[in-house]
Amino acid sequence: MHTIELANVSAFSHPAEQWHQIDWELMNRGVRGLQVRIAKATKNSDWRQVKRLQRMLTRSFAAKVIAIRRVTENRGKNTAGVDGELWNTPKLKWDAIDKLQRKGYKPKPLKRVYIPKANGKSRPLGIPTMRDRAMQALHLLALEPVSETLADRNSYGFRPHRSCADAIEQCFVNLSRKASAQWVLEGDIKGCFDHISHDWLIANVPMDKVILKRWLQSGYLEKGSFNPTDAGTPQGGIISPVLANFALDGLEKVLESHFGERNTKKSYKHKVNYVRYADDFIITGISKELLEKEVLPIVKAFMAERGLVLSGEKTLITHIDQGFDFLGQNLRKYNGKMLIKPSRANVKEFLKGIREYLNGHKTVPASAVIAKLNPMIRGWCNYHRWICSSETFKYVDHRIWKMLWRWCSRVHLKRRKRWIKAKYFKTVGDRKWVFSAPKLGESGEYFRLIYASRIKVDKHVKIVATANCYLPEDEQYFERLKMRRLKKSMLGYLKLWRIAERQNFSCPVCCQQFSSEDEWDIHHIVRRVDGGTDKVSNLVMLHLNCHRQVHNSR
């Protein structure tokens, strides 16, 4: 009964009169329908129809509110641009709908900040204003179906439902057999996002050319001075990754035209296979001479057309027996057997982050250390859990234990080792030396540091390379894929699993299926202040925005 009431919370007539009266199920269904039509028209190369549908989508009320919802609920929602404006209330979000107009729109310069890279250098990041972010998200709704339909088959970066694990699994497919290619070209593009040709993007990206040109030439503010942008796409813009994918897509087809399509006699002769994630890519080949004298010139010519250059120092040709690093993982054959492990550089960088935190927080309580380290350990292990990482996880546990013991000993210089062990390290089941901290006000209850070696190493099922989430024939496949990945992300959370399963893994307000990337909240049907309990029967899983909408309706 209560679930039915929740499902009807969003059933307000359109148009709504305020933010929390928007019928999100209707909005999503309308946008999705137009996106499917854009993908079909792109597949049929009907570019006049694509342009007409894109114009219809970007001017619709549904697309505007979905774009605003996206930029006000992501991680950067509390980071303002050069105007200092944030849309953090329902009224501001509602008023923002009228600001998403093409007529008179002029983007403001980006706010330039720098974020540290693993090699010690800094990467420039441009922060657009909220209005510019929402406009980019709006046009992205119309551009992404085109991008997905035209994308390279084995491109996995910045695409829906694709991940680094898919790219690594494709590398395993290309290199693991006895008859597979033995040589690998590791490609590195010098400053990819900073050097993409504006002229090429404006001429080849199928979207509103006027809007695109204004974004590309908006410039940035650094230390109070304005700097123009003559090339590249700003890192930090929502639409920038898709624009970069447009620039890099097509190389796979060029290679196939020279060395044969997959599973043809010509392709078996050369064994040229291509895998790309964002601006990192590898190309396999039958010999070093083939990659050096035939493949590399083709790649350089392809990049030069788009204003890009390969790095001479980082573009390498390696034999598979020597191994190579790709996306933080090392791929190598040992006596003919292909093994993929976390790369030494990646492990070293992860442990360095933990060591720097402990050295910089010598006096914080143990509970704060656990609260900081647990997400770090879990996130790093979840990234590497799909490969041969069991031994590396044990090594990481050992190194973290040594760093924690040093941290404890430094805090209690005059205490005996036995006292330190009794205070900080407990025995839990078959686990000894578990770093723990008591919970305040709860006798006998402790916060525990998780063990990396306790994260289950599993087999990743790669996405079908040709699948398109915007075409009706692949819809059921992506529903099963999202369900499978959501279930894996909930392993170990029995209560949460039971709540989601009862709802058929969908939000009862907007009727959209949850994905493993969604942010969600747990809602009490009968409030605790009114006597409601924390039993599963009284709990509902909702998207964050849907949760606020339910409370607003009360």
Side-chain angles (χ1 to χ4, degrees), residues 502-542:
R502 189 187 65 198
Q503 300 172 200
N504 196 25
F505 299 93
S506 298
C507 175
V509 174
C510 65
C511 300
Q512 295 298 302
Q513 190 179 35
F514 287 107
S515 71
S516 54
E517 295 84 18
D518 284 346
E519 291 189 2
W520 41 263
D521 217 341
I522 297 298
H523 170 72
H524 289 74
I525 298 172
V526 179
R527 296 183 302 178
R528 280 175 292 185
V529 294
D530 295 332
T533 65
D534 288 331
K535 292 182 178 179
V536 172
S537 58
N538 191 48
L539 300 177
V540 180
M541 187 173 168
L542 304 174

Side-chain angles (χ1 to χ4, degrees), residues 443-455:
S443 58
E445 294 292 324
Y446 286 86
F447 296 106
R448 313 284 189 190
L449 187 76
I450 62 172
Y451 270 38
S453 55
R454 292 285 171 147
I455 303 293

